[in-house]
């Protein structure tokens, strides 16, 4: 059935290109936040549990990069 996932995360970069997050976020807080970054944590978990391998991750990253590159090329054309 329906599932609700509430994901709370820390913004790790500037909010916009006009923003400078260093004005209100200190470097220590940012470094700590990177330790809890959800995608990195998930990847580490999947590797430790042997659900996915490094080579599978690299293949998935390559596939995603190709899809994004194709979409960008189509948009620019």
């Amino acid at each position: 059935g329906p599932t609700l996932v509430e994901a709370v995360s820390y913004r790790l970069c500037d909010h916009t290109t006009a923003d400078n997050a260093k004005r209100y976020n200190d470097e220590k807080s940012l470094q700590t936040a990177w330790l809890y970054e959800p995608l990195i944590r998930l990847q580490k978990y999947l590797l430790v549990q042997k659900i996915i391998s490094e080579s599978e991750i690299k293949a998935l990253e390559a596939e995603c990069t190709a899809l994004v590159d194709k979409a960008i090329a189509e948009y620019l054309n």
Side-chain angles (χ1 to χ4, degrees):
T3 303
L4 171 67
V5 176
E6 180 180 11
V8 178
S9 185
Y10 187 95
R11 188 173 60 240
L12 297 167
C13 57
D14 295 339
H15 188 63
T16 67
T17 56
D19 185 26
N20 180 1
K22 291 180 181 176
R23 292 181 297 132
Y24 49 85
N25 286 338
D26 62 279
E27 187 65 27
K28 185 177 179 185
S29 296
L30 183 61
Q31 289 175 353
T32 301
W34 272 107
L35 298 174
Y36 299 100
E37 197 282 326
L39 295 178
I40 294 171
R41 289 177 62 207
L42 176 61
Q43 180 175 314
K44 287 178 183 177
Y45 174 81
L46 294 174
L47 285 168
V48 168
Q49 297 298 317
K50 300 190 183 318
I51 296 169
I52 197 168
S53 67
E54 287 284 352
S55 61
E56 290 171 311
I57 289 172
K58 287 181 183 186
L60 182 58
E61 288 172 346
E63 181 183 345
C64 291
T65 297
L67 286 170
V68 170
D69 290 345
K70 181 181 176 197
I72 291 170
E74 288 174 4
Y75 169 77
L76 293 174
N77 288 328

